[in-house]
Amino acid sequence: MRSLAAPTCTGAPECRTSSGPRMPNSYVLVTVPPSGPRPDTPQLTTVSDRPGADCNCARPLSDRCATGVTAVVETVDSFPCRTPEAAMNSSALSGYAFDLERSTGVGPTTSTLREHLTGQLQRLLDAADVTCSWARDAVRLLPGLLGPVAGRPLDAGPPSPSFVSDDHSPAELSVSFASDGVPTVRVLVEPGCGARTVADSGRAGLRALHRMASCWNVDAEPVARVKDLFLPAAARGPFSLWCALDLRRSGPPGVKVYLNPEAHSGDRAAEVVEEALTRFGFGPAWPALTARAASWCPDRGRLLFFALDLGHWQEPRVKLYIAHQGFSVEEAEAVAGLLPGGTPQRVGDFCRTVGGGARRFDRLPLVSCLSFTRRDRERPSGHTLHVPVRDYARDDCVARDRAAAALGAHGGGGTALLDKALAAMTPRRLSDGVGLISYVSLARSTAGPPRVTVYLSPEAYAIHPPHDLPRDTALGEGA
C-alpha cells in the first residue's frame, strides 16, 4: 500500500486532510453571514489539499467568496492543530470530500450539533417504527458519545475535519432494508472528533465504546485484542476509531467499531490487517484474498477500515473495507466473486442501477466490504458493495430514484420508508442539492437474503449544490 508520509507542517492551520484513492481538493465549510464575519471570528483561510501541496499554502478568504454564502474555508481556531503525522494525508478517505467550491447556502434551523443529530436520529427511528426502549436510550446516549463538541453551535463550523460525512459532520445515519420488511437504523459517530491528536481521538473513542459496553452489556475485549495494531501511542492517519449502533425494532443494539489500518503508516496497512485477521482466527483467509487482489492492489485499492461487530449479533463479523479507484463494473463483479456461491452479476446490475449506467467509477471510488465469521475461516461469509451515488447523480432526487430502483430489484421494497427517511433528515427539496444520500449498498451473505442500505448525511454544515449535468445523466466514463 502507498505510504502517506508527507512534508512537515510549517505553521499554517493543520488540515488532517482526507485520505484514500481520490485526489481532488478537500475543504471545510463554514457560513459567512450576510453582514460579514463577526468581530470575534478568526481569520478565514482556504487550505489546498492537492497532491504535493504544502499544508501552509493558505490565502485569505476575501478573494474567494462573497458574504451570505457557505464558503470553502478553514478557521485557525475551529480545527484542533494535530500532529503532522496525523494530518498530512494527500488524498481523501475513500473520497469522502467533494470539491466543494460553493454550497446552496441553505442551513439547518437547529442551533447545536446535539440538537441537530438527536433530532434527525429520533425522526428516523420514528419513520422506521424503531421505538423500543433501547432505541430511546441510543438517542439519549448520542450527545455523550460525541463529547463536548455536542454543544457546539452549528454556525461555528465543524469541530474538526471529520471524514465521516462530506461536510465534516462527525456522524452518519443509514437505514437498512431487508427482504423480510423489517428495517434497521444505524448511527455512526466519530467520538474523538474534537481531539487535538489522532491518538487522543482514539482514546476518546475507547471511552465512548466503554460507555456503550456498560449501557448494553457489550464485551469490548475484541478491540483490546488488537489495540496495539490500530491504536498505537503515535497513531497516524485521518481518523482513529469510529463507533456505530445498529438499532432494531426489538432487542438491544448491535455495536460496530471501525479502526484505521494505516494507524502506523500507509505502507504497513496490509501487514496490520493480516496480523489482525490472524488474531481472530482468519489468518488462512489472507493468502487467498491477496492472490485475488493482485489486479487492484496496491495502485488502485486501499484498505480503508478494519471493523468489528460487538455485542448483540446473531453472528458477529470481522470486516475489511477496501476502496477501488477507477473500478469498472466487471471488476466489481470479480471482487464480489470472492463470496462462495454468490451471484456476481447481480452485483454488477446493482452497480449499474445506482451508478446511473456508468461503466467505470473514476470519480469517488466503489468500496467493497468483505466479512468473515466463524463458519468459514478461509473465505468471506459476506460481501457488500457501496456505490457513492452522490458523485454519479445530478441531485438527491435522482439518487432517491436509483435507491428506490435498487430496493425494488433486490426485494427490499421500502420505497415509502425511504421517502419517510429522507423527510426525517431534511425539509429541503431533494432537487436542491446532492449528497444527502451518500452511498447505497448491497449486502449479500452465505447465511441470509440480500440487504440494501441507504446512507444519509446529516448536512449539519453544508449542502452541496446539484452537479451541473442533465438529470438523467451519470457522471463518469460511459455515462
Side-chain angles (χ1 to χ4, degrees):
M1 303 297 291
R2 177 167 50 85
S3 172
L4 297 185
T8 301
C9 178
T10 57
E14 192 278 329
C15 49
R16 196 181 70 156
T17 58
S18 37
S19 72
R22 192 180 179 214
M23 300 284 190
N25 295 352
S26 63
Y27 299 98
V28 174
L29 302 177
V30 298
T31 298
V32 182
S35 59
R38 297 188 303 270
D40 60 342
T41 301
Q43 172 64 46
L44 300 178
T45 61
T46 61
V47 178
S48 172
D49 184 27
R50 293 184 180 88
D54 294 334
C55 74
N56 63 340
C57 54
R59 59 190 177 88
L61 170 67
S62 57
D63 61 346
R64 286 297 302 268
C65 65
T67 58
V69 298
T70 300
V72 187
V73 302
E74 181 167 14
T75 66
V76 175
D77 293 344
S78 292
F79 289 176
C81 184
R82 303 174 192 264
T83 61
E85 293 83 3
M88 302 305 298
N89 299 296
S90 64
S91 51
L93 178 66
S94 80
Y96 277 116
F98 275 120
D99 295 336
L100 291 177
E101 293 290 352
R102 64 199 192 285
S103 171
T104 63
V106 178
T109 58
T110 48
S111 59
T112 64
L113 186 62
R114 174 195 297 110
E115 184 183 356
H116 186 71
L117 293 177
T118 57
Q120 286 179 322
L121 178 57
Q122 184 61 67
R123 292 190 298 272
L124 197 59
L125 291 168
D126 291 342
D129 195 26
V130 178
T131 58
C132 63
S133 61
W134 289 283
R136 293 194 295 271
D137 289 342
V139 176
R140 288 192 291 266
L141 185 64
L142 179 58
L145 298 181
L146 290 169
V149 303
R152 182 183 176 88
L154 293 184
D155 61 7
S160 74
S162 173
F163 299 105
V164 175
S165 294
D166 287 329
D167 70 335
H168 303 296
S169 299
E172 175 191 71
L173 294 96
S174 59
V175 181
S176 185
F177 300 80
S179 58
D180 62 5
V182 180
T184 58
V185 172
R186 188 200 64 156
V187 55
L188 174 109
V189 299
E190 182 176 14
C193 61
R196 296 190 63 83
T197 69
V198 176
D200 287 343
S201 177
R203 286 187 280 271
L206 287 176
R207 290 193 295 271
L209 176 61
H210 293 151
R211 178 176 293 192
M212 289 186 287
S214 61
C215 184
W216 292 300
N217 192 27
V218 171
D219 183 6
E221 184 279 330
V223 176
R225 197 183 311 178
V226 291
K227 182 179 177 181
D228 61 310
L229 298 178
F230 297 103
L231 299 166
R236 307 175 66 173
F239 84 103
S240 184
L241 186 153
W242 295 348
C243 300
L245 295 173
D246 196 72
L247 304 170
R248 300 105 181 220
R249 287 181 174 174
S250 62
V255 175
K256 304 179 185 181
V257 175
Y258 298 81
L259 301 165
N260 178 21
E262 298 184 351
H264 293 272
S265 67
D267 55 3
R268 293 192 62 189
E271 172 190 350
V272 165
V273 168
E274 180 181 12
E275 174 61 22
L277 286 173
T278 298
R279 293 187 189 183
F280 287 105
F282 300 109
W286 185 251
L289 177 60
T290 53
R292 292 288 296 272
S295 63
W296 44 267
C297 277
D299 296 332
R300 298 174 58 208
R302 188 170 191 172
L303 300 170
L304 288 181
F305 312 117
F306 187 88
L308 299 168
D309 287 346
L310 304 178
H312 307 281
W313 299 88
Q314 289 185 344
E315 195 169 43
R317 302 159 296 174
V318 171
K319 300 182 291 182
L320 178 61
Y321 289 77
I322 307 162
H324 310 290
Q325 183 62 33
F327 246 33
S328 67
V329 173
E330 292 74 21
E331 287 170 316
E333 290 177 341
V335 177
L338 292 169
L339 182 67
T343 53
Q345 65 274 15
R346 296 202 70 190
V347 173
D349 292 340
F350 171 83
C351 201
R352 294 182 188 92
T353 297
V354 179
R359 295 195 300 268
R360 185 172 296 279
F361 291 78
D362 49 8
R363 293 173 64 90
L364 295 185
L366 300 173
V367 177
S368 293
C369 172
L370 300 172
S371 59
F372 300 87
T373 66
R374 58 189 177 186
R375 284 185 292 109
D376 193 332
R377 298 290 182 178
E378 298 184 8
R379 299 176 298 178
S381 298
H383 168 270
T384 304
L385 180 69
H386 300 77
V387 179
V389 63
R390 68 194 187 280
D391 215 14
Y392 298 89
R394 181 185 185 277
D395 54 43
D396 283 308
C397 187
V398 174
R400 177 266 173 210
D401 290 346
R402 294 184 191 168
L407 286 169
H410 295 278
T415 301
L417 174 54
L418 173 62
D419 291 334
K420 289 181 181 178
L422 296 173
M425 293 295 294
T426 181
R428 73 167 174 85
R429 296 182 305 177
L430 297 180
S431 59
D432 285 346
V434 66
L436 173 64
I437 303 176
S438 56
Y439 284 92
V440 182
S441 72
L442 174 64
R444 303 170 306 129
S445 168
T446 56
R451 186 178 70 254
V452 173
T453 301
V454 178
Y455 297 82
L456 305 169
S457 170
E459 296 186 329
Y461 303 108
I463 298 169
H464 194 281
H467 292 302
D468 187 17
L469 77 168
R471 287 178 57 86
D472 58 351
T473 302
L475 296 171
E477 180 183 330

